[in-house]
């Protein structure tokens, strides 16, 4: 048996809302009302009085909402990941920096010693450089 789509679920929730509790709100309520509102059950007669535009979601609404939510998630994730990565890189740099300095100093010192030794081994420096 195929699972119902999100659009079918939303349309069913709008057409026959569950009993009103502080945490149960239909998508239509979430869009139009800033806070949960306890409402009496909708009778068939009351449903007839509700304009057609409020009974079903507009065509393409689900795709629009998914797109908007994904945009917001993308922006939030990018910022949070950038901050988290920057923190880790800074911590790692601080821990590696002393060892890196020691290594660079050793390489430079060794290179200078080797260059001086090669120069001395190649022969005497000219007596007069004019």
């Amino acid at each position: 048996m195929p699972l119902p789509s999100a659009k079918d679920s939303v349309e069913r929730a709008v057409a026959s809302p569950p009993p009103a509790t502080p945490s149960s709100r239909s998508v239509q309520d979430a869009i139009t009302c800033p806070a949960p509102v306890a409402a009496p059950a909708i009778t068939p007669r009351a449903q007839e009085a509700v304009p057609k535009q409020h009974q079903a979601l507009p065509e393409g609404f689900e795709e629009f909402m998914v797109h908007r939510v994904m945009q917001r998630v993308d922006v939030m994730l990018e910022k949070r990941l950038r901050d988290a990565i920057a923190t880790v890189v800074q911590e790692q740099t601080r821990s590696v920096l002393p060892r890196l300095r020691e290594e660079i100093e050793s390489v430079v010192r060794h290179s200078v010693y080797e260059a001086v030794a090669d120069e001395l081994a190649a022969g005497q420096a000219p007596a007069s450089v004019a």
Side-chain angles (χ1 to χ4, degrees):
M1 176 174 185
L3 294 174
S5 71
K7 186 175 182 179
D8 294 336
S9 299
V10 169
E11 286 175 354
R12 228 174 313 146
V14 171
S16 59
T21 63
S23 64
S24 67
R25 292 176 18 190
S26 69
V27 171
Q28 204 64 27
D29 289 338
I31 294 169
T32 59
C33 298
V37 177
I42 298 176
T43 63
R45 189 170 202 179
Q47 262 185 333
E48 291 172 5
V50 176
K52 290 279 187 202
Q53 65 187 6
H54 293 295
Q55 288 183 354
L57 296 173
E59 183 67 30
F61 180 75
E62 179 182 358
E63 291 81 13
F64 172 77
M65 286 302 293
V66 167
H67 180 71
R68 294 287 297 186
V69 167
M70 292 303 293
Q71 283 179 329
R72 290 179 189 268
V73 167
D74 187 45
V75 169
M76 283 187 236
L77 274 177
E78 183 178 347
K79 181 185 181 334
R80 289 181 180 167
L81 285 174
R82 185 182 305 123
D83 293 345
I85 290 170
T87 300
V88 169
V89 168
Q90 285 178 349
E91 290 171 0
Q92 291 299 316
T93 301
R94 278 189 216 115
S95 68
V96 169
L97 197 58
R99 176 73 178 133
L100 189 58
R101 283 184 181 156
E102 288 174 12
E103 204 54 42
I104 291 171
E105 181 182 344
S106 173
V107 167
V108 169
R109 186 182 317 268
H110 183 73
S111 297
V112 169
Y113 287 152
E114 210 172 286
V116 168
D118 288 347
E119 199 57 38
L120 290 175
Q124 294 288 349
S128 65
V129 178

